[in-house]
Amino acid sequence: MTVVERFLEELKPFRAQYDDLSRKIDSLEEGPVRLALKKRRNQVEANARKVRDRYIDEQMASDNPVNIPRFSFSETKIRNKEPGAKLSGDTDTDE
Amino acid sequence: MAAHDHQVIMAAYLTLGSAALTLDGVQATLTTSVEFDEDTVWGDLWKQRKISLGDVQLTFEAINDYTDNELDEDLDALIRTEIACALRPDSGAISATNPEYQFTGAVSTLQKTFQHGKVPRVSGTVMLTSGSGITRDVTP
């Protein structure tokens, strides 16, 4: 297994947790519970970012360093939108 | 004389966790700083300093959106939690000429203004929380 494959494998549980929280958030009416789940979802993405940071640190010390792929669980909902376009939905997180 | 290729910021990209400010943002300022600890002793004729701790801080301002499930709610969901932050000059694809700056932080201030006759504004500060500092990423 390559370093990148190992990284992507390690990312999977975070992604699954993020998507699971997104589904729950979508199914909830507005309110404090939905807000709390959004906080948890933010923390999940932040924890996944730390995993990537760790891999980047490891690669800096490696004899054969490779680039670790970038990811963003939450960005795709605005990708390719024109400025001024309105967002829709909150779970468009395809990578 | 070399030609310049400066650009005007027209559609920058900013996400703070799942709060996307790209379509509501007005300005963002990313500050990377380094502390120095003075190491000057008797006999030195010039100051000597040791490079010490680095820090990252982001300030932002946006037009607030109170639509359900939009910016205002997403920003409120940042309070007291860590977030993955990403900022780049243009919302188009990341490239060598459109680098994305990434760090893990948390909101330290969030200010909302309610001024008569004005669109509501929201501004805030995000401070670094992760020991990994800031990443300048050009990985597509």
Side-chain angles (χ1 to χ4, degrees):
Chain A
M1 194 182 268
T2 66
V3 173
V4 170
E5 286 168 345
R6 198 152 40 86
F7 165 68
L8 293 174
E9 202 59 36
E10 205 168 327
L11 209 58
K12 276 182 185 171
F14 293 98
R15 182 60 197 240
Q17 208 181 343
Y18 190 94
D19 289 346
D20 184 47
L21 284 166
S22 291
R23 277 189 292 275
K24 285 178 182 156
I25 287 164
D26 269 7
S27 68
L28 279 171
E29 294 295 316
E30 58 187 305
V33 174
R34 190 171 75 179
L35 197 67
L37 289 183
K38 283 188 173 184
K39 288 187 187 208
R40 267 178 59 190
R41 188 175 61 173
N42 281 324
Q43 185 66 58
V44 168
E45 186 172 28
N47 290 343
R49 168 73 64 75
K50 287 179 186 174
V51 171
R52 182 175 188 250
D53 288 343
R54 172 164 53 79
Y55 270 81
I56 290 172
D57 287 346
E58 280 174 15
Q59 290 309 302
M60 285 195 295
S62 166
D63 289 336
N64 298 301
V66 295
N67 275 321
I68 304 300
R70 176 183 170 277
F71 76 92
S72 171
F73 294 160
S74 53
E75 83 159 356
T76 46
K77 66 180 177 177
I78 57 167
R79 188 184 290 161
N80 299 327
K81 296 271 186 183
E82 292 297 320
K86 200 63 204 159
L87 299 179
S88 62
D90 201 41
T91 57
D92 181 14
T93 56
D94 61 300
E95 265 314 297
Chain B
M1 199 162 125
H4 296 293
D5 195 15
H6 299 156
Q7 58 177 311
V8 175
I9 299 293
M10 295 299 281
Y13 173 98
L14 174 61
T15 55
L16 306 174
S18 58
L21 284 97
T22 300
L23 301 179
D24 302 290
V26 174
Q27 77 87 20
T29 303
L30 181 67
T31 305
T32 308
S33 59
V34 178
E35 285 180 8
F36 293 87
D37 203 21
E38 196 172 319
D39 193 29
T40 315
V41 296
W42 288 334
D44 285 336
L45 298 179
W46 296 86
K47 292 227 177 193
Q48 299 196 47
R49 297 183 178 91
K50 294 290 186 193
I51 296 171
S52 185
L53 301 170
D55 199 2
V56 179
Q57 181 177 315
L58 172 77
T59 60
F60 65 90
E61 184 178 357
I63 306 293
N64 208 354
D65 184 347
Y66 289 99
T67 309
D68 181 37
N69 225 4
E70 287 291 345
L71 185 63
D72 187 68
E73 183 180 332
D74 287 344
L75 287 175
D76 282 346
L78 306 181
I79 303 300
R80 292 190 58 78
T81 190
E82 275 191 302
I83 47 175
C85 306
L87 170 69
R88 59 183 193 256
D90 190 89
S91 57
I94 294 177
S95 68
T97 56
N98 191 29
E100 184 173 274
Y101 300 94
Q102 304 162 350
F103 68 99
T104 305
V107 169
S108 67
T109 61
L110 187 63
Q111 269 190 320
K112 300 175 186 181
T113 61
F114 307 85
Q115 192 176 349
H116 181 63
K118 302 285 187 187
V119 291
R121 294 199 172 231
V122 60
S123 60
T125 306
V126 182
M127 305 291 288
L128 179 75
T129 57
S130 162
S132 291
I134 190 162
T135 302
R136 184 184 195 273
D137 205 341
V138 294
T139 316

